[in-house]
Amino acid sequence: MFLRDELVEKAKGAEFDLLVIGGGITGAGIARDAVRRGLRVVLLEQGDLASGTSSRSSKLVHGGLRYLEQGEFSLVFEAVSERRTLMDIAPHLVNPLGFVFPVFESSRRGVLTIDLGMWIYDGLSLFRSPKIHKRLSKKQVAKVEPTLRNHDLKGAELYYDCSTDDARLTLETAIDAVHNGAVVATWCRVEELTHDERGRASGAVVRDRLTDERFEVQAAVVVNATGPWTDRTRRMAIGDTADPLLRPTKGIHLVVSAARLKVNNAVVMMHPEDGRVLFAIPWGEETYVGTTDTDWDGDPAEVAADSNDIDYILESVNYFFPEVDLNREDVVSTWAGLRPLITEAGVDESSVSREHRLVMESDGVITIAGGKLTTYRKMAAEVVDHAVDLLRLLGQAPVTMRPANTHREPLPGAIGWPEDDDHAVVAQQIRDVSEGHIDQATSALLTDSYGMRGVDIARRVASDPALAVPLLEGRPEILAQVDWAVERELAATLQDVLIRRTQLYFRDRDQGVEAVEPVLDRLATLLGWDDAERERQRADFAVEVAQARAWRTG
Ligand code: FAD
């Protein structure tokens, strides 16, 4: 067991080799890699882990077929190689997903061109794709995706990439870092950087946003991994003089019930207005659709879907699924994120490169900007290589260092995962261990979310069956997940639990509001909250709910 407060205590006043600012996938990846090499690491995150872009992506671990068209072969090659690695180290979270790419009489590219693209795509993965693509006739498409537009359809390509749970991939990466000795302090915002007498960054002044306490952290090397906040953090390092490194663009997704829009694979849609690529992606009992791509220069914390975004996506869905006739009332929830893209003059939003860039600031801070969820592990290794070089230059590198082996060491939920990747076997084990207190739907949820750690949750349920109570009537999420979130997953607030640990906020039409009181009761017991704290938590969660619904009134 490790609680957030205990980790924050460990950060205070201590000296580290490496301070990582930002607990998205990039920062978590850096912390994991560095601590596994033997560095003393602290990671500071201003909110919850993955509360920025890393829980608001399209949740795909993919090569990015459309980057082929932009000629970014090396990016695609790296991404498809990483897809294979992530399938190996996180098989419970990174799962093969079929993509149906329909071709119509009016399509800009014919079947042959798309087929050629598919061969290159599978070829770049050295034919180690989850499965090799195949061509579907019009008749076969109707069978595979019965609700997809049939008018003028010539056929489709069925190819494979992977889906994931972005928030959990980030979380498990950070948890593995903690298991290996890293200090990961959430809800701790870096407010200033400190510098030594020669002007070199030497740590940070931090505010614990849950207690309002300010404290200092010392480190030999500081890394800025703050995604869309990158330029704000750079200003702490080198002042206002630097030109912006990023050109953030906003992307939103909307969630609808699978009963309204049922897809058996991810379906690729070229928007009828501007030809941009969108996906309709199966998500258990729900389907999500996205994304948009528009420039954003506001506060990253305020990014949200607006009504134009929703209409844009609905227009595409209704064109490709004409009989479904989706409308605003069907929207269960939304999320919006900012792509931390590198500035490129004279280029439109969708064409900005997804490559990353490493910058050594004049005060020694290492900034990592850009990139993708899929390639986080490679990016992280590159950053740590630079950090180690810097430590050596400073004469502060540890005497013994180890290889990080992040390409083969499983994430926590993957330890003991079946060789044949059979989720059903793990789900059965969870039901057996729970001694009949966990049903089919909950065991599937626990398997897909926690991997083999779902069995540990089942063990708790077996010894205290009250933990099997659903958080919301008729849904699979159970009370045991709240305990687990606090004791094993660094959850420290109501929103951590409802938004990113259970994800009720996205899956439930009412954003999980009905679960607030039972979850608060449990959290109050676990964390010793009084009435005033409960009220604060309710209010903070209400702000998040309002943000997800802002498009309805905006
Ligand atoms: P973030 O996740 O934003 O993390 C940065 C963190 O820094 C934040 O949590 C923030 O709170 C913290 N922070 C900021 N300032 C401070 C401070 N002063 N002190 C402490 N902490 C601070 N990639 C894919 O591979 N596949 C996809 O399907 C995909 N889809 C996408 C769809 C959309 C709509 C978007 C927006 C992106 C998508 N991406 C995808 C890209 C991918 O999501 C991002 O590249 C990745 O999540 C960025 O992670 P990050 O850690 O760099 O940034």
Side-chain angles (χ1 to χ4, degrees):
M1 178 158 125
F2 47 89
L3 297 176
R4 181 212 84 113
D5 291 358
E6 291 165 10
L7 286 170
V8 174
E9 279 309 310
K10 285 191 185 170
K12 286 180 189 168
E15 277 190 36
F16 296 90
D17 298 317
L18 187 67
L19 159 58
V20 183
I21 313 173
I25 191 72
T26 309
I30 294 166
R32 176 177 192 243
D33 186 305
V35 77
R36 281 185 167 272
R37 290 198 209 189
L39 300 186
R40 294 168 304 159
V41 178
V42 62
L43 180 151
L44 300 170
E45 162 55 51
Q46 66 179 351
D48 186 17
L49 291 162
S51 54
T53 309
S54 298
S55 59
R56 295 147 189 273
S57 76
S58 301
K59 308 187 191 300
L60 301 177
V61 169
H62 63 157
L65 195 55
R66 77 191 177 86
Y67 307 132
L68 272 188
E69 210 184 15
Q70 294 164 359
E72 300 204 50
F73 292 100
S74 65
L75 178 66
V76 177
F77 177 72
E78 182 174 68
V80 290
S81 310
E82 280 305 288
R83 182 182 64 192
R84 170 51 56 189
T85 301
L86 296 184
M87 285 172 74
D88 290 344
I89 66 165
H92 56 308
L93 292 176
V94 180
N95 294 296
L97 176 65
F99 284 67
V100 170
F101 192 145
V103 184
F104 298 91
E105 298 289 349
S106 56
S107 293
R108 197 149 59 86
R109 297 169 209 81
V111 177
L112 281 181
T113 316
I114 293 175
D115 203 38
L116 177 67
M118 295 295 168
W119 281 114
I120 298 176
Y121 196 56
D122 281 341
L124 281 171
S125 69
L126 310 176
F127 296 95
R128 293 198 311 151
S129 299
K131 281 187 198 166
I132 299 297
H133 75 277
K134 65 176 183 190
R135 207 186 285 181
L136 300 180
S137 67
K138 180 173 176 164
K139 222 168 168 187
Q140 286 170 315
V141 177
K143 231 186 214 161
V144 173
E145 295 297 342
T147 52
L148 181 60
R149 184 184 184 86
N150 206 260
H151 180 68
D152 279 353
L153 183 70
K154 284 164 67 177
E157 289 286 340
L158 174 63
Y159 71 97
Y160 292 86
D161 256 317
C162 287
S163 62
T164 191
D165 178 333
D166 47 5
R168 289 211 152 263
L169 190 63
T170 306
L171 181 63
E172 286 213 19
T173 303
I175 289 173
D176 190 66
V178 174
H179 289 170
N180 282 282
V183 174
V184 173
T186 58
W187 294 98
C188 284
R189 175 179 285 153
V190 170
E191 293 196 327
E192 288 168 41
L193 292 180
T194 52
H195 293 89
D196 65 16
E197 61 286 352
R198 284 166 301 164
R200 235 179 32 78
S202 58
V205 179
V206 185
R207 182 179 297 280
D208 180 341
R209 294 175 64 208
L210 301 186
T211 61
D212 218 25
E213 189 187 345
R214 261 164 79 96
F215 60 91
E216 279 198 34
V217 173
Q218 321 277 331
V221 174
V222 177
V223 171
N224 168 9
T226 52
W229 287 263
T230 295
D231 284 316
R232 288 168 188 241
T233 310
R234 290 181 82 214
R235 268 177 238 134
M236 289 183 211
I238 50 176
D240 278 335
T241 49
D243 286 335
L245 203 58
L246 288 190
R247 174 184 180 176
T249 71
K250 177 174 94 163
I252 80 120
H253 291 80
L254 58 80
V255 180
V256 295
S257 161
R260 287 291 289 120
L261 175 63
K262 172 82 181 145
V263 286
N264 299 308
N265 300 273
V267 172
V268 184
M269 302 178 285
M270 303 287 187
H271 196 284
E273 283 285 300
D274 58 13
R276 279 199 54 258
V277 175
L278 288 95
F279 298 105
I281 300 176
W283 203 37
E285 299 296 306
E286 286 80 37
T287 299
Y288 63 90
V289 192
T291 175
T292 56
D293 204 347
T294 47
D295 274 323
W296 172 271
D297 57 10
D299 184 342
E302 286 171 9
V303 63
D306 63 33
S307 59
N308 291 334
D309 298 325
I310 302 295
D311 292 343
Y312 175 86
I313 292 181
L314 290 179
E315 194 185 345
S316 193
V317 172
N318 287 331
Y319 180 83
F320 281 90
F321 299 90
E323 280 156 36
V324 170
D325 193 22
L326 273 194
N327 61 54
R328 288 164 159 238
E329 287 317 301
D330 291 311
V331 177
V332 171
S333 65
T334 63
W335 66 81
L338 291 178
R339 298 175 187 82
L341 303 181
I342 309 288
T343 317
E344 276 182 72
V347 171
D348 72 31
E349 293 96 323
S350 293
S351 307
V352 178
S353 169
R354 268 60 176 167
E355 295 274 12
H356 63 272
R357 190 181 299 165
L358 252 164
V359 177
M360 176 72 81
E361 312 290 357
S362 53
D363 66 346
V365 168
I366 301 173
T367 293
I368 170 79
K372 282 159 58 84
L373 189 78
T374 307
T375 49
Y376 84 91
R377 205 191 55 83
K378 286 294 270 286
M379 274 164 58
E382 204 180 315
V383 171
V384 180
D385 286 346
H386 277 76
V388 169
D389 286 347
L390 194 53
L391 283 167
R392 287 207 172 107
L393 261 168
L394 297 166
Q396 292 183 37
V399 181
T400 47
M401 302 257 301
R402 309 179 285 271
N405 286 334
T406 58
H407 64 292
R408 63 162 191 251
E409 290 297 335
L411 291 184
I415 298 170
W417 187 258
E419 281 286 321
D420 62 1
D421 195 21
D422 192 343
H423 288 236
V425 168
V426 179
Q428 182 62 52
Q429 196 180 338
I430 286 174
R431 289 196 295 280
D432 292 347
V433 168
S434 79
E435 295 172 6
H437 296 292
I438 288 179
D439 66 16
Q440 195 105 21
T442 298
S443 66
L445 170 86
L446 297 182
T447 303
D448 297 348
S449 308
Y450 304 88
M452 294 310 290
R453 282 155 58 95
V455 179
D456 297 326
I457 297 179
R459 229 167 256 130
R460 288 176 174 229
V461 169
S463 59
D464 180 2
L467 291 174
V469 170
L471 296 180
L472 275 180
E473 204 46 50
R475 288 205 53 96
E477 297 82 6
I478 57 171
L479 193 58
Q481 291 177 258
V482 180
D483 291 37
W484 188 260
V486 169
E487 293 172 5
R488 300 296 170 127
E489 296 188 334
L490 290 171
T493 69
L494 177 65
Q495 54 163 292
D496 296 353
V497 173
L498 289 178
I499 301 181
R500 286 162 297 270
R501 300 303 182 285
T502 63
Q503 305 187 1
L504 269 175
Y505 175 85
F506 297 113
R507 301 250 188 200
D508 173 43
R509 173 167 283 283
D510 201 24
Q511 269 67 69
V513 167
E514 290 274 311
V516 162
E517 293 312 316
V519 172
L520 267 180
D521 285 347
R522 192 69 190 179
L523 288 173
T525 307
L526 293 167
L527 295 167
W529 288 347
D530 59 14
D531 285 350
E533 185 55 38
R534 287 172 65 122
E535 194 42 49
R536 251 195 305 277
Q537 296 288 332
R538 256 186 224 109
D540 288 349
F541 184 60
V543 171
E544 297 292 328
V545 172
Q547 194 163 350
R549 297 177 183 172
W551 66 271
R552 291 188 187 274
T553 46

PDB file of all heavy atoms in Angstrom, residues 20-39:
ATOM      1  N   VAL A  20      11.028  15.153 -12.603  1.00  0.00           N
ATOM      2  CA  VAL A  20      10.194  15.173 -13.804  1.00  0.00           C
ATOM      3  C   VAL A  20       8.960  15.999 -13.488  1.00  0.00           C
ATOM      4  O   VAL A  20       8.234  15.698 -12.532  1.00  0.00           O
ATOM      5  CB  VAL A  20       9.761  13.737 -14.202  1.00  0.00           C
ATOM      6  CG1 VAL A  20       8.954  13.767 -15.502  1.00  0.00           C
ATOM      7  CG2 VAL A  20      10.965  12.826 -14.335  1.00  0.00           C
ATOM      8  N   ILE A  21       8.713  17.025 -14.299  1.00  0.00           N
ATOM      9  CA  ILE A  21       7.495  17.820 -14.103  1.00  0.00           C
ATOM     10  C   ILE A  21       6.465  17.328 -15.115  1.00  0.00           C
ATOM     11  O   ILE A  21       6.701  17.383 -16.322  1.00  0.00           O
ATOM     12  CB  ILE A  21       7.740  19.329 -14.324  1.00  0.00           C
ATOM     13  CG1 ILE A  21       8.995  19.786 -13.584  1.00  0.00           C
ATOM     14  CG2 ILE A  21       6.526  20.138 -13.889  1.00  0.00           C
ATOM     15  CD1 ILE A  21       9.383  21.232 -13.896  1.00  0.00           C
ATOM     16  N   GLY A  22       5.308  16.840 -14.617  1.00  0.00           N
ATOM     17  CA  GLY A  22       4.255  16.369 -15.508  1.00  0.00           C
ATOM     18  C   GLY A  22       4.016  14.886 -15.375  1.00  0.00           C
ATOM     19  O   GLY A  22       4.933  14.086 -15.573  1.00  0.00           O
ATOM     20  N   GLY A  23       2.773  14.517 -15.045  1.00  0.00           N
ATOM     21  CA  GLY A  23       2.415  13.104 -14.869  1.00  0.00           C
ATOM     22  C   GLY A  23       1.452  12.630 -15.928  1.00  0.00           C
ATOM     23  O   GLY A  23       0.487  11.935 -15.645  1.00  0.00           O
ATOM     24  N   GLY A  24       1.731  13.014 -17.200  1.00  0.00           N
ATOM     25  CA  GLY A  24       1.047  12.380 -18.328  1.00  0.00           C
ATOM     26  C   GLY A  24       1.862  11.171 -18.745  1.00  0.00           C
ATOM     27  O   GLY A  24       2.797  10.751 -18.033  1.00  0.00           O
ATOM     28  N   ILE A  25       1.546  10.626 -19.911  1.00  0.00           N
ATOM     29  CA  ILE A  25       2.261   9.421 -20.349  1.00  0.00           C
ATOM     30  C   ILE A  25       3.754   9.705 -20.537  1.00  0.00           C
ATOM     31  O   ILE A  25       4.594   8.860 -20.230  1.00  0.00           O
ATOM     32  CB  ILE A  25       1.634   8.829 -21.639  1.00  0.00           C
ATOM     33  CG1 ILE A  25       2.182   7.448 -21.939  1.00  0.00           C
ATOM     34  CG2 ILE A  25       1.832   9.738 -22.844  1.00  0.00           C
ATOM     35  CD1 ILE A  25       1.729   6.370 -21.041  1.00  0.00           C
ATOM     36  N   THR A  26       4.099  10.922 -20.974  1.00  0.00           N
ATOM     37  CA  THR A  26       5.511  11.219 -21.218  1.00  0.00           C
ATOM     38  C   THR A  26       6.283  11.239 -19.898  1.00  0.00           C
ATOM     39  O   THR A  26       7.324  10.578 -19.766  1.00  0.00           O
ATOM     40  CB  THR A  26       5.650  12.581 -21.941  1.00  0.00           C
ATOM     41  OG1 THR A  26       4.777  12.584 -23.073  1.00  0.00           O
ATOM     42  CG2 THR A  26       7.063  12.829 -22.392  1.00  0.00           C
ATOM     43  N   GLY A  27       5.778  11.976 -18.921  1.00  0.00           N
ATOM     44  CA  GLY A  27       6.455  12.074 -17.631  1.00  0.00           C
ATOM     45  C   GLY A  27       6.502  10.731 -16.923  1.00  0.00           C
ATOM     46  O   GLY A  27       7.542  10.343 -16.353  1.00  0.00           O
ATOM     47  N   ALA A  28       5.388   9.992 -16.975  1.00  0.00           N
ATOM     48  CA  ALA A  28       5.350   8.680 -16.309  1.00  0.00           C
ATOM     49  C   ALA A  28       6.377   7.751 -16.959  1.00  0.00           C
ATOM     50  O   ALA A  28       7.087   7.006 -16.271  1.00  0.00           O
ATOM     51  CB  ALA A  28       3.946   8.087 -16.399  1.00  0.00           C
ATOM     52  N   GLY A  29       6.462   7.810 -18.292  1.00  0.00           N
ATOM     53  CA  GLY A  29       7.424   6.964 -19.013  1.00  0.00           C
ATOM     54  C   GLY A  29       8.855   7.302 -18.636  1.00  0.00           C
ATOM     55  O   GLY A  29       9.697   6.410 -18.471  1.00  0.00           O
ATOM     56  N   ILE A  30       9.130   8.596 -18.490  1.00  0.00           N
ATOM     57  CA  ILE A  30      10.495   9.018 -18.130  1.00  0.00           C
ATOM     58  C   ILE A  30      10.827   8.532 -16.711  1.00  0.00           C
ATOM     59  O   ILE A  30      11.907   7.988 -16.454  1.00  0.00           O
ATOM     60  CB  ILE A  30      10.618  10.557 -18.224  1.00  0.00           C
ATOM     61  CG1 ILE A  30      10.456  11.007 -19.684  1.00  0.00           C
ATOM     62  CG2 ILE A  30      11.943  11.044 -17.640  1.00  0.00           C
ATOM     63  CD1 ILE A  30      10.233  12.503 -19.857  1.00  0.00           C
ATOM     64  N   ALA A  31       9.864   8.708 -15.793  1.00  0.00           N
ATOM     65  CA  ALA A  31      10.105   8.291 -14.408  1.00  0.00           C
ATOM     66  C   ALA A  31      10.370   6.786 -14.348  1.00  0.00           C
ATOM     67  O   ALA A  31      11.290   6.323 -13.658  1.00  0.00           O
ATOM     68  CB  ALA A  31       8.908   8.668 -13.537  1.00  0.00           C
ATOM     69  N   ARG A  32       9.585   6.019 -15.090  1.00  0.00           N
ATOM     70  CA  ARG A  32       9.756   4.556 -15.062  1.00  0.00           C
ATOM     71  C   ARG A  32      11.124   4.160 -15.605  1.00  0.00           C
ATOM     72  O   ARG A  32      11.832   3.340 -15.012  1.00  0.00           O
ATOM     73  CB  ARG A  32       8.641   3.904 -15.892  1.00  0.00           C
ATOM     74  CG  ARG A  32       8.780   2.400 -16.013  1.00  0.00           C
ATOM     75  CD  ARG A  32       7.628   1.756 -16.766  1.00  0.00           C
ATOM     76  NE  ARG A  32       7.659   0.319 -16.603  1.00  0.00           N
ATOM     77  CZ  ARG A  32       7.825  -0.551 -17.610  1.00  0.00           C
ATOM     78  NH1 ARG A  32       7.959  -0.123 -18.847  1.00  0.00           N
ATOM     79  NH2 ARG A  32       7.844  -1.852 -17.373  1.00  0.00           N
ATOM     80  N   ASP A  33      11.480   4.753 -16.737  1.00  0.00           N
ATOM     81  CA  ASP A  33      12.753   4.403 -17.352  1.00  0.00           C
ATOM     82  C   ASP A  33      13.917   4.780 -16.430  1.00  0.00           C
ATOM     83  O   ASP A  33      14.839   3.983 -16.185  1.00  0.00           O
ATOM     84  CB  ASP A  33      12.862   5.120 -18.712  1.00  0.00           C
ATOM     85  CG  ASP A  33      14.090   4.700 -19.503  1.00  0.00           C
ATOM     86  OD1 ASP A  33      15.210   4.811 -18.956  1.00  0.00           O
ATOM     87  OD2 ASP A  33      13.947   4.264 -20.657  1.00  0.00           O
ATOM     88  N   ALA A  34      13.849   5.998 -15.895  1.00  0.00           N
ATOM     89  CA  ALA A  34      14.980   6.507 -15.102  1.00  0.00           C
ATOM     90  C   ALA A  34      15.167   5.720 -13.809  1.00  0.00           C
ATOM     91  O   ALA A  34      16.298   5.374 -13.434  1.00  0.00           O
ATOM     92  CB  ALA A  34      14.760   7.988 -14.806  1.00  0.00           C
ATOM     93  N   VAL A  35      14.067   5.423 -13.125  1.00  0.00           N
ATOM     94  CA  VAL A  35      14.214   4.717 -11.842  1.00  0.00           C
ATOM     95  C   VAL A  35      14.696   3.291 -12.074  1.00  0.00           C
ATOM     96  O   VAL A  35      15.471   2.737 -11.286  1.00  0.00           O
ATOM     97  CB  VAL A  35      12.901   4.789 -11.019  1.00  0.00           C
ATOM     98  CG1 VAL A  35      11.841   3.824 -11.528  1.00  0.00           C
ATOM     99  CG2 VAL A  35      13.191   4.533  -9.541  1.00  0.00           C
ATOM    100  N   ARG A  36      14.258   2.713 -13.189  1.00  0.00           N
ATOM    101  CA  ARG A  36      14.728   1.358 -13.495  1.00  0.00           C
ATOM    102  C   ARG A  36      16.217   1.336 -13.822  1.00  0.00           C
ATOM    103  O   ARG A  36      16.866   0.302 -13.699  1.00  0.00           O
ATOM    104  CB  ARG A  36      13.910   0.760 -14.651  1.00  0.00           C
ATOM    105  CG  ARG A  36      12.559   0.234 -14.196  1.00  0.00           C
ATOM    106  CD  ARG A  36      11.837  -0.463 -15.326  1.00  0.00           C
ATOM    107  NE  ARG A  36      10.710  -1.229 -14.812  1.00  0.00           N
ATOM    108  CZ  ARG A  36      10.792  -2.482 -14.389  1.00  0.00           C
ATOM    109  NH1 ARG A  36      11.942  -3.109 -14.404  1.00  0.00           N
ATOM    110  NH2 ARG A  36       9.720  -3.102 -13.936  1.00  0.00           N
ATOM    111  N   ARG A  37      16.753   2.479 -14.267  1.00  0.00           N
ATOM    112  CA  ARG A  37      18.205   2.527 -14.540  1.00  0.00           C
ATOM    113  C   ARG A  37      19.006   2.751 -13.258  1.00  0.00           C
ATOM    114  O   ARG A  37      20.225   2.682 -13.258  1.00  0.00           O
ATOM    115  CB  ARG A  37      18.526   3.679 -15.493  1.00  0.00           C
ATOM    116  CG  ARG A  37      18.030   3.431 -16.895  1.00  0.00           C
ATOM    117  CD  ARG A  37      18.737   4.344 -17.872  1.00  0.00           C
ATOM    118  NE  ARG A  37      17.893   4.641 -19.012  1.00  0.00           N
ATOM    119  CZ  ARG A  37      18.315   5.268 -20.097  1.00  0.00           C
ATOM    120  NH1 ARG A  37      19.571   5.682 -20.183  1.00  0.00           N
ATOM    121  NH2 ARG A  37      17.486   5.508 -21.084  1.00  0.00           N
ATOM    122  N   GLY A  38      18.287   3.120 -12.193  1.00  0.00           N
ATOM    123  CA  GLY A  38      18.998   3.307 -10.921  1.00  0.00           C
ATOM    124  C   GLY A  38      19.087   4.755 -10.475  1.00  0.00           C
ATOM    125  O   GLY A  38      19.808   5.056  -9.522  1.00  0.00           O
ATOM    126  N   LEU A  39      18.361   5.661 -11.145  1.00  0.00           N
ATOM    127  CA  LEU A  39      18.382   7.063 -10.711  1.00  0.00           C
ATOM    128  C   LEU A  39      17.379   7.280  -9.574  1.00  0.00           C
ATOM    129  O   LEU A  39      16.369   6.574  -9.483  1.00  0.00           O
ATOM    130  CB  LEU A  39      18.036   8.005 -11.870  1.00  0.00           C
ATOM    131  CG  LEU A  39      18.937   7.984 -13.105  1.00  0.00           C
ATOM    132  CD1 LEU A  39      18.527   9.084 -14.080  1.00  0.00           C
ATOM    133  CD2 LEU A  39      20.398   8.159 -12.717  1.00  0.00           C
TER     134      LEU A  39
END
